[in-house]
PDB file of all heavy atoms in Angstrom:
ATOM      1  N   ALA A 153      -3.339   4.450  12.326  1.00  0.00           N
ATOM      2  CA  ALA A 153      -2.053   3.826  12.683  1.00  0.00           C
ATOM      3  C   ALA A 153      -2.172   2.325  12.744  1.00  0.00           C
ATOM      4  O   ALA A 153      -1.237   1.594  12.475  1.00  0.00           O
ATOM      5  CB  ALA A 153      -1.570   4.371  14.035  1.00  0.00           C
ATOM      6  N   PRO A 180       2.049   8.327  11.714  1.00  0.00           N
ATOM      7  CA  PRO A 180       2.360   8.538  13.135  1.00  0.00           C
ATOM      8  C   PRO A 180       3.706   7.934  13.467  1.00  0.00           C
ATOM      9  O   PRO A 180       4.223   7.107  12.737  1.00  0.00           O
ATOM     10  CB  PRO A 180       1.221   7.796  13.852  1.00  0.00           C
ATOM     11  CG  PRO A 180       0.789   6.742  12.869  1.00  0.00           C
ATOM     12  CD  PRO A 180       0.953   7.371  11.509  1.00  0.00           C
ATOM     13  N   ARG A 188      15.308   9.487  18.583  1.00  0.00           N
ATOM     14  CA  ARG A 188      15.498   9.422  17.135  1.00  0.00           C
ATOM     15  C   ARG A 188      16.638  10.332  16.725  1.00  0.00           C
ATOM     16  O   ARG A 188      16.855  11.405  17.295  1.00  0.00           O
ATOM     17  CB  ARG A 188      14.206   9.828  16.410  1.00  0.00           C
ATOM     18  CG  ARG A 188      13.037   8.923  16.707  1.00  0.00           C
ATOM     19  CD  ARG A 188      11.826   9.329  15.905  1.00  0.00           C
ATOM     20  NE  ARG A 188      11.380  10.682  16.210  1.00  0.00           N
ATOM     21  CZ  ARG A 188      10.558  10.954  17.234  1.00  0.00           C
ATOM     22  NH1 ARG A 188      10.156  10.004  18.014  1.00  0.00           N
ATOM     23  NH2 ARG A 188      10.182  12.194  17.465  1.00  0.00           N
ATOM     24  N   ALA A 227      23.682  14.708  -8.332  1.00  0.00           N
ATOM     25  CA  ALA A 227      22.428  14.159  -8.832  1.00  0.00           C
ATOM     26  C   ALA A 227      21.436  14.116  -7.700  1.00  0.00           C
ATOM     27  O   ALA A 227      21.806  14.074  -6.531  1.00  0.00           O
ATOM     28  CB  ALA A 227      22.649  12.745  -9.385  1.00  0.00           C
ATOM     29  N   LYS A 247      21.517  -0.904  18.917  1.00  0.00           N
ATOM     30  CA  LYS A 247      21.003  -2.041  18.145  1.00  0.00           C
ATOM     31  C   LYS A 247      19.857  -2.677  18.899  1.00  0.00           C
ATOM     32  O   LYS A 247      19.991  -3.060  20.031  1.00  0.00           O
ATOM     33  CB  LYS A 247      22.107  -3.063  17.906  1.00  0.00           C
ATOM     34  CG  LYS A 247      23.183  -2.553  16.989  1.00  0.00           C
ATOM     35  CD  LYS A 247      24.165  -3.650  16.663  1.00  0.00           C
ATOM     36  CE  LYS A 247      25.183  -3.193  15.641  1.00  0.00           C
ATOM     37  NZ  LYS A 247      26.137  -4.257  15.294  1.00  0.00           N
ATOM     38  N   VAL A 261      15.680 -20.350  17.077  1.00  0.00           N
ATOM     39  CA  VAL A 261      15.496 -18.978  16.651  1.00  0.00           C
ATOM     40  C   VAL A 261      16.511 -18.070  17.321  1.00  0.00           C
ATOM     41  O   VAL A 261      16.973 -17.099  16.749  1.00  0.00           O
ATOM     42  CB  VAL A 261      14.063 -18.517  16.954  1.00  0.00           C
ATOM     43  CG1 VAL A 261      13.822 -17.116  16.422  1.00  0.00           C
ATOM     44  CG2 VAL A 261      13.076 -19.473  16.305  1.00  0.00           C
ATOM     45  N   LYS A 294      27.700 -12.681  29.690  1.00  0.00           N
ATOM     46  CA  LYS A 294      28.117 -12.937  28.308  1.00  0.00           C
ATOM     47  C   LYS A 294      29.487 -13.583  28.193  1.00  0.00           C
ATOM     48  O   LYS A 294      29.835 -14.102  27.137  1.00  0.00           O
ATOM     49  CB  LYS A 294      28.089 -11.627  27.506  1.00  0.00           C
ATOM     50  CG  LYS A 294      26.693 -11.059  27.329  1.00  0.00           C
ATOM     51  CD  LYS A 294      26.688  -9.886  26.355  1.00  0.00           C
ATOM     52  CE  LYS A 294      27.310  -8.659  26.967  1.00  0.00           C
ATOM     53  NZ  LYS A 294      27.175  -7.485  26.080  1.00  0.00           N
ATOM     54  N   THR A 365       5.784 -18.620  49.124  1.00  0.00           N
ATOM     55  CA  THR A 365       6.448 -19.811  48.593  1.00  0.00           C
ATOM     56  C   THR A 365       5.849 -21.067  49.204  1.00  0.00           C
ATOM     57  O   THR A 365       5.334 -21.045  50.324  1.00  0.00           O
ATOM     58  CB  THR A 365       7.960 -19.778  48.884  1.00  0.00           C
ATOM     59  OG1 THR A 365       8.165 -19.700  50.298  1.00  0.00           O
ATOM     60  CG2 THR A 365       8.606 -18.590  48.195  1.00  0.00           C
ATOM     61  N   GLY A 381       4.461 -29.753  36.352  1.00  0.00           N
ATOM     62  CA  GLY A 381       3.005 -29.807  36.304  1.00  0.00           C
ATOM     63  C   GLY A 381       2.364 -30.471  37.504  1.00  0.00           C
ATOM     64  O   GLY A 381       1.487 -29.888  38.144  1.00  0.00           O
ATOM     65  N   MET A 391      14.216 -27.917  36.479  1.00  0.00           N
ATOM     66  CA  MET A 391      15.621 -27.523  36.502  1.00  0.00           C
ATOM     67  C   MET A 391      16.366 -28.222  37.632  1.00  0.00           C
ATOM     68  O   MET A 391      17.489 -28.712  37.449  1.00  0.00           O
ATOM     69  CB  MET A 391      15.727 -26.000  36.654  1.00  0.00           C
ATOM     70  CG  MET A 391      15.148 -25.217  35.475  1.00  0.00           C
ATOM     71  SD  MET A 391      15.036 -23.437  35.780  1.00  0.00           S
ATOM     72  CE  MET A 391      16.771 -22.955  35.673  1.00  0.00           C
ATOM     73  N   LEU A 416       5.812 -21.163  14.414  1.00  0.00           N
ATOM     74  CA  LEU A 416       7.158 -20.854  13.933  1.00  0.00           C
ATOM     75  C   LEU A 416       7.391 -21.378  12.524  1.00  0.00           C
ATOM     76  O   LEU A 416       7.971 -20.689  11.680  1.00  0.00           O
ATOM     77  CB  LEU A 416       8.201 -21.436  14.886  1.00  0.00           C
ATOM     78  CG  LEU A 416       8.299 -20.745  16.247  1.00  0.00           C
ATOM     79  CD1 LEU A 416       9.216 -21.534  17.169  1.00  0.00           C
ATOM     80  CD2 LEU A 416       8.793 -19.324  16.086  1.00  0.00           C
ATOM     81  N   LEU A 453       3.778 -30.035  13.391  1.00  0.00           N
ATOM     82  CA  LEU A 453       3.582 -30.543  14.747  1.00  0.00           C
ATOM     83  C   LEU A 453       3.371 -32.051  14.736  1.00  0.00           C
ATOM     84  O   LEU A 453       3.902 -32.769  15.592  1.00  0.00           O
ATOM     85  CB  LEU A 453       2.384 -29.846  15.396  1.00  0.00           C
ATOM     86  CG  LEU A 453       2.055 -30.263  16.831  1.00  0.00           C
ATOM     87  CD1 LEU A 453       3.260 -30.082  17.748  1.00  0.00           C
ATOM     88  CD2 LEU A 453       0.871 -29.470  17.355  1.00  0.00           C
ATOM     89  N   PHE A 455       4.635 -34.084  12.644  1.00  0.00           N
ATOM     90  CA  PHE A 455       5.931 -34.695  12.328  1.00  0.00           C
ATOM     91  C   PHE A 455       6.773 -34.880  13.586  1.00  0.00           C
ATOM     92  O   PHE A 455       7.390 -35.936  13.789  1.00  0.00           O
ATOM     93  CB  PHE A 455       6.684 -33.829  11.319  1.00  0.00           C
ATOM     94  CG  PHE A 455       7.998 -34.402  10.883  1.00  0.00           C
ATOM     95  CD1 PHE A 455       8.065 -35.371   9.898  1.00  0.00           C
ATOM     96  CD2 PHE A 455       9.185 -33.988  11.469  1.00  0.00           C
ATOM     97  CE1 PHE A 455       9.275 -35.916   9.504  1.00  0.00           C
ATOM     98  CE2 PHE A 455      10.406 -34.519  11.090  1.00  0.00           C
ATOM     99  CZ  PHE A 455      10.446 -35.488  10.093  1.00  0.00           C
ATOM    100  N   GLY A 479      17.491 -29.350  13.439  1.00  0.00           N
ATOM    101  CA  GLY A 479      18.616 -28.990  12.583  1.00  0.00           C
ATOM    102  C   GLY A 479      18.144 -28.344  11.294  1.00  0.00           C
ATOM    103  O   GLY A 479      18.719 -27.360  10.822  1.00  0.00           O
ATOM    104  N   GLY A 518      16.814  -6.502  27.050  1.00  0.00           N
ATOM    105  CA  GLY A 518      18.268  -6.461  26.940  1.00  0.00           C
ATOM    106  C   GLY A 518      18.913  -7.816  27.114  1.00  0.00           C
ATOM    107  O   GLY A 518      19.822  -8.189  26.371  1.00  0.00           O
ATOM    108  N   LYS A 550       8.586 -56.065  31.590  1.00  0.00           N
ATOM    109  CA  LYS A 550       8.438 -55.582  30.220  1.00  0.00           C
ATOM    110  C   LYS A 550       8.709 -54.080  30.243  1.00  0.00           C
ATOM    111  O   LYS A 550       7.830 -53.278  30.506  1.00  0.00           O
ATOM    112  CB  LYS A 550       7.033 -55.861  29.692  1.00  0.00           C
ATOM    113  CG  LYS A 550       6.858 -55.488  28.224  1.00  0.00           C
ATOM    114  CD  LYS A 550       5.465 -55.844  27.725  1.00  0.00           C
ATOM    115  CE  LYS A 550       5.318 -55.473  26.251  1.00  0.00           C
ATOM    116  NZ  LYS A 550       3.953 -55.801  25.735  1.00  0.00           N
ATOM    117  N   THR A 560      28.664 -44.602  30.671  1.00  0.00           N
ATOM    118  CA  THR A 560      28.572 -43.738  29.489  1.00  0.00           C
ATOM    119  C   THR A 560      27.827 -42.441  29.784  1.00  0.00           C
ATOM    120  O   THR A 560      28.234 -41.360  29.340  1.00  0.00           O
ATOM    121  CB  THR A 560      27.880 -44.474  28.332  1.00  0.00           C
ATOM    122  OG1 THR A 560      28.537 -45.715  28.107  1.00  0.00           O
ATOM    123  CG2 THR A 560      27.927 -43.652  27.062  1.00  0.00           C
ATOM    124  N   GLY A 613      44.001 -25.924  43.664  1.00  0.00           N
ATOM    125  CA  GLY A 613      43.711 -24.496  43.838  1.00  0.00           C
ATOM    126  C   GLY A 613      42.367 -24.082  43.293  1.00  0.00           C
ATOM    127  O   GLY A 613      42.213 -22.938  42.867  1.00  0.00           O
ATOM    128  N   ALA A 665      54.945 -29.509  30.885  1.00  0.00           N
ATOM    129  CA  ALA A 665      54.002 -28.711  30.094  1.00  0.00           C
ATOM    130  C   ALA A 665      53.510 -29.503  28.891  1.00  0.00           C
ATOM    131  O   ALA A 665      52.330 -29.431  28.512  1.00  0.00           O
ATOM    132  CB  ALA A 665      54.661 -27.406  29.649  1.00  0.00           C
ATOM    133  N   LEU A 687      65.003 -32.113  48.244  1.00  0.00           N
ATOM    134  CA  LEU A 687      65.341 -31.822  46.854  1.00  0.00           C
ATOM    135  C   LEU A 687      64.420 -30.749  46.299  1.00  0.00           C
ATOM    136  O   LEU A 687      63.248 -30.664  46.667  1.00  0.00           O
ATOM    137  CB  LEU A 687      65.225 -33.096  46.014  1.00  0.00           C
ATOM    138  CG  LEU A 687      66.140 -34.249  46.428  1.00  0.00           C
ATOM    139  CD1 LEU A 687      65.814 -35.508  45.621  1.00  0.00           C
ATOM    140  CD2 LEU A 687      67.605 -33.854  46.232  1.00  0.00           C
ATOM    141  N   ASP A 697      40.115 -24.316  35.859  1.00  0.00           N
ATOM    142  CA  ASP A 697      40.052 -24.767  34.466  1.00  0.00           C
ATOM    143  C   ASP A 697      40.490 -26.225  34.314  1.00  0.00           C
ATOM    144  O   ASP A 697      40.471 -26.775  33.207  1.00  0.00           O
ATOM    145  CB  ASP A 697      40.925 -23.880  33.585  1.00  0.00           C
ATOM    146  CG  ASP A 697      42.405 -23.922  33.982  1.00  0.00           C
ATOM    147  OD1 ASP A 697      42.699 -24.273  35.142  1.00  0.00           O
ATOM    148  OD2 ASP A 697      43.254 -23.575  33.132  1.00  0.00           O
ATOM    149  N   LYS A 717      25.274 -39.257  17.865  1.00  0.00           N
ATOM    150  CA  LYS A 717      25.118 -37.813  17.864  1.00  0.00           C
ATOM    151  C   LYS A 717      25.091 -37.306  16.429  1.00  0.00           C
ATOM    152  O   LYS A 717      25.582 -37.954  15.504  1.00  0.00           O
ATOM    153  CB  LYS A 717      26.253 -37.132  18.639  1.00  0.00           C
ATOM    154  CG  LYS A 717      27.660 -37.483  18.188  1.00  0.00           C
ATOM    155  CD  LYS A 717      28.688 -36.806  19.080  1.00  0.00           C
ATOM    156  CE  LYS A 717      30.122 -37.124  18.644  1.00  0.00           C
ATOM    157  NZ  LYS A 717      30.495 -38.508  18.939  1.00  0.00           N
TER     158      LYS A 717
END
Side-chain angles (χ1 to χ4, degrees):
R188 298 183 299 275
K247 292 186 175 181
V261 184
K294 294 189 287 186
T365 59
M391 296 171 73
L416 290 172
L453 181 56
F455 183 82
K550 185 177 181 180
T560 307
L687 299 173
D697 61 338
K717 55 183 181 288

